[in-house]
Amino acid sequence: SQTIHQWPATLVQPVGSPLSLECTVEGTSNPNLYWYRQAAGRGLQLLFYSVGIGQISSEVPQNLSASRPQDRQFILSSKKLLLSDSGFYLCAWLPLAGGYETQYFGPGTRLLVL
Amino acid sequence: AQSVTQLGSHVSVSEGALVLLRCNYSSSVPPYLFWYVQYPNQGLQLLLKYTTGATLVKGINGFEAEFKKSETSFHLTKPSAHMSDAAEYFCAVSGSGANSKLTFGKGITLSVRP
């Protein structure tokens, strides 16, 4: 069966520090991968998506970047965190089989920037 | 272009009462529609989805939703609320195809009173 992992689960970082959040998917090949940010009362905002290794599309200009070094690994990074980067970060994957329609979400990473 | 409107941010019902969470969408292509549920500090779990075919779809935990094209709506219902239904609920829309993006509403928090 397919599973999606995110780590760390919780992170507290000072302003100006770097960031690396990791997402990995098991039991599938060549999925589309997504990073979302959830801020209180604002729903989910799509940050990045990837349709393959090394292929990253950015949805909104921001202080963050993403990379996909391996087929089932998706990394969210920042060189210098801002207070506004605080939030709940969710990784999702879209299986490229069947109807192509349903995204499945990981457990999320809670990031607090102080 | 697509968008989702979930009016209000909070709904409170008594245990055993009808649950009705409203969702209206806008889409320039035939929509795929989703309801996800999020329990505190967890990722999103798919409740149900509409892609094609029958407009009344049944999901997990006794929830169902009806796609009404003329009203551009996809309201979520459950005949009898349970305490365990307390969570945040997100409606989302996408188009068909592997590279179609998922657009979320802002979410509604459901509280269930004993």
Side-chain angles (χ1 to χ4, degrees):
Chain A
S1 64
Q2 301 97 347
T3 56
I4 180 169
H5 303 279
Q6 287 187 246
W7 64 88
T10 305
L11 192 59
V12 181
Q13 291 285 97
V15 170
S17 64
L19 174 73
S20 181
L21 303 182
E22 189 164 344
C23 169
T24 59
V25 183
E26 295 179 356
T28 186
S29 298
N30 196 31
N32 281 9
L33 295 172
Y34 307 82
W35 277 112
Y36 291 87
R37 178 167 58 203
Q38 185 178 18
R42 297 179 62 183
L44 280 83
Q45 180 184 35
L46 179 62
L47 302 176
F48 301 94
Y49 70 96
S50 172
V51 299
I53 295 174
Q55 301 180 63
I56 307 296
S57 297
S58 175
E59 287 297 295
V60 292
Q62 58 203 316
N63 185 43
L64 302 169
S65 62
S67 62
R68 186 168 176 176
Q70 301 178 41
D71 181 44
R72 290 171 286 178
Q73 184 185 34
F74 203 23
I75 297 172
L76 185 69
S77 304
S78 173
K79 292 181 179 179
K80 289 185 178 181
L81 283 168
L82 306 173
L83 286 173
S84 58
D85 291 325
S86 293
F88 193 47
Y89 289 83
L90 289 159
C91 181
W93 70 284
L94 180 73
L96 295 186
Y100 304 115
E101 73 273 1
T102 305
Q103 290 186 25
Y104 297 93
F105 286 80
T109 294
R110 175 79 58 192
L111 173 65
L112 179 59
V113 182
L114 301 175
Chain B
Q2 53 198 23
S3 65
V4 174
T5 301
Q6 294 182 253
L7 290 178
S9 60
H10 186 236
V11 169
S12 180
V13 301
S14 298
E15 191 173 18
L18 172 71
V19 175
L20 170 60
L21 303 181
R22 299 178 185 275
C23 172
N24 290 88
Y25 71 91
S26 171
S27 178
S28 56
V29 298
Y32 285 178
L33 294 158
F34 306 82
W35 276 98
Y36 285 87
V37 61
Q38 184 180 34
Y39 298 100
N41 294 310
Q42 295 186 24
L44 274 68
Q45 179 181 6
L46 181 70
L47 269 180
L48 49 78
K49 63 183 178 184
Y50 167 79
T51 53
T52 58
T55 56
L56 180 63
V57 293
K58 296 185 184 299
I60 61 172
N61 301 337
F63 285 93
E64 61 182 38
E66 186 171 12
F67 169 59
K68 292 187 176 181
K69 184 178 179 180
S70 62
E71 299 178 7
T72 61
S73 69
F74 190 58
H75 302 330
L76 182 71
T77 60
K78 181 175 180 177
S80 177
H82 191 273
M83 296 297 290
S84 60
D85 295 326
E88 191 162 16
Y89 291 80
F90 292 92
C91 182
V93 63
S94 75
S96 61
N99 294 324
S100 183
K101 298 168 192 173
L102 198 57
T103 300
F104 285 87
K106 291 187 176 182
I108 295 177
T109 299
L110 175 66
S111 299
V112 182
R113 304 184 301 271

